[in-house]
Amino acid sequence: MGKKIIVTGCNGQLGRAINKEFVGEEGYEFINTDVTADIKLDITDVGAVTDFVGKYEPYAIINCAAYTAVDRQENDRDLAMKINAIGPRNLAIAARETGAKLIHVSTDYVFPGETSDHPLTEFDPVGPVSVYGRTKLAGEEFVKQFADRFFIIRTAWLYGDGHNFAKTMLQLSETHDELTVVDDQLGTPTSAAELARCIHALLPTESYGLYHGTCEGDTSWADFAKEVFRLAGKKTVVKPVSTEEYMRNNPQSAKRPAYSILDNYMLRLTGIYTFADWRDAVAEYMKEGV
């Protein structure tokens, strides 16, 4: 029997990637939970969480559960707060009571998303402008407040086994010769596989704290789509447009960050893990079949 690890949101892109990353490693035993999994855990219920974690007394909890429908949350603040903030708080309380490590995944949306003259480090000021960003930041603060041994990892533009931008673009390319994609929002596409590798590297350490975890380099959504089509051999033309132009025909409730380029500064300082370049990570993803 290995060290027990509770994974919340196990059926999401990151949860699946984490389980795949640890396949064949005998040192850990995974307890996978999700609203659609065989083992269900309502992270918004503090009693249920403390009872569940107390029962298993895990070595670590990896929280991949989140409410990520950013537009829907603008009119559903309470549910967003329960899942993105209260949930992490409950897990942090349970982790502290049992001595478990807590790995909590956060987002670039905690920043205002305004154009910057440098990639954003863990020490740059936050200032979310959407309900999603505000509730995820609240989740970070709860983890810091209640957990003793924690890793908070902010990631961005995540894709993996599940619903994501790359898969949507490929699906649309089947029926469209041309697609309009925003080119004035900048960030770094990050594969769930790479983030899982980072978590694997952090897990056995005691280098607790806040980290940025994205693939290296940066691009726009339009150029990301072009790279996906190039790798897939698709002839679909990408028509770059501004966010303002795109919003005229595709209104969105939540404001998107114009600048989401994160600097993995703390990972670089500690030397724990170096992410792959985003192009290499996308190529790996495409080879495995989307």
Side-chain angles (χ1 to χ4, degrees):
M1 298 290 285
K3 295 176 179 177
K4 293 183 177 69
I5 298 178
I6 294 173
V7 178
T8 65
C10 70
N11 288 334
Q13 294 184 108
L14 181 56
R16 292 176 183 177
I18 286 170
N19 273 272
K20 186 175 180 180
E21 167 66 17
F22 283 84
V23 165
E25 185 159 336
E26 297 178 357
Y28 299 108
E29 176 190 349
F30 279 74
I31 298 112
N32 286 301
T33 75
D34 207 322
V35 291
T36 57
D38 291 337
I39 302 176
K40 294 175 174 56
L41 174 63
D42 180 2
I43 65 170
T44 70
D45 182 337
V46 67
V49 169
T50 54
D51 287 348
F52 187 88
V53 175
K55 173 185 174 182
Y56 287 100
E57 295 187 335
Y59 168 72
I61 302 167
I62 303 176
N63 182 32
C64 304
Y67 184 7
T68 58
V70 296
D71 288 319
R72 204 180 307 152
Q73 291 175 54
E74 292 298 310
N75 296 309
D76 201 3
R77 179 186 175 86
D78 287 355
L79 182 59
M81 188 62 76
K82 284 181 180 179
I83 297 172
N84 294 338
I86 300 301
R89 182 204 67 171
N90 297 341
L91 292 168
I93 291 169
R96 184 185 63 198
E97 289 180 353
T98 58
K101 296 182 179 185
L102 175 61
I103 296 180
H104 174 63
V105 180
S106 192
T107 174
D108 58 299
Y109 274 69
V110 300
F111 291 106
E114 298 167 351
T115 300
S116 172
D117 60 358
H118 65 277
L120 301 166
T121 77
E122 296 85 349
F123 304 99
D124 279 300
V126 293
V129 294
S130 65
V131 169
Y132 175 60
R134 287 191 288 271
T135 57
K136 288 295 287 184
L137 181 59
E140 287 188 12
E141 294 303 319
F142 277 136
V143 168
K144 292 175 184 176
Q145 184 177 354
F146 290 105
D148 292 327
R149 306 162 73 207
F150 66 84
F151 306 91
I152 296 170
I153 308 173
R154 292 174 181 155
T155 194
W157 294 26
L158 195 68
Y159 63 88
D161 180 8
H163 177 71
N164 61 68
F165 176 82
K167 185 172 287 187
T168 297
M169 289 295 102
L170 288 171
Q171 290 171 344
L172 289 172
S173 73
E174 297 296 323
T175 54
H176 294 74
D177 295 326
E178 181 180 275
L179 288 171
T180 299
V181 186
V182 169
D183 73 341
D184 59 356
Q185 293 177 21
L186 302 176
T188 305
T190 301
S191 78
E194 272 295 299
L195 183 54
R197 290 168 190 143
C198 174
I199 289 171
H200 196 167
L202 277 170
L203 183 61
T205 77
E206 294 184 355
S207 296
Y208 304 118
L210 173 65
Y211 292 87
H212 285 176
T214 62
C215 284
E216 294 295 323
D218 58 81
T219 190
S220 68
W221 287 113
D223 285 342
F224 182 18
K226 289 177 183 177
E227 184 66 6
V228 169
F229 291 154
R230 185 187 72 79
L231 290 167
K234 298 289 185 182
K235 302 299 182 184
T236 303
V237 175
V238 174
K239 180 185 177 185
V241 296
S242 67
T243 300
E244 184 179 357
E245 290 176 273
Y246 183 82
M247 291 278 284
R248 289 187 196 129
N249 298 317
N250 304 274
Q252 297 170 321
S253 301
K255 185 178 179 181
R256 266 61 173 178
Y259 191 92
S260 284
I261 303 173
L262 303 185
D263 181 358
N264 301 344
Y265 187 51
M266 281 298 294
L267 283 177
R268 194 162 64 252
L269 288 179
T270 56
I272 292 171
Y273 187 76
T274 301
F275 275 76
D277 182 87
W278 75 268
R279 293 177 184 84
D280 295 334
V282 173
E284 178 191 28
Y285 172 70
M286 298 291 288
K287 281 180 183 177
E288 293 183 354
V290 181

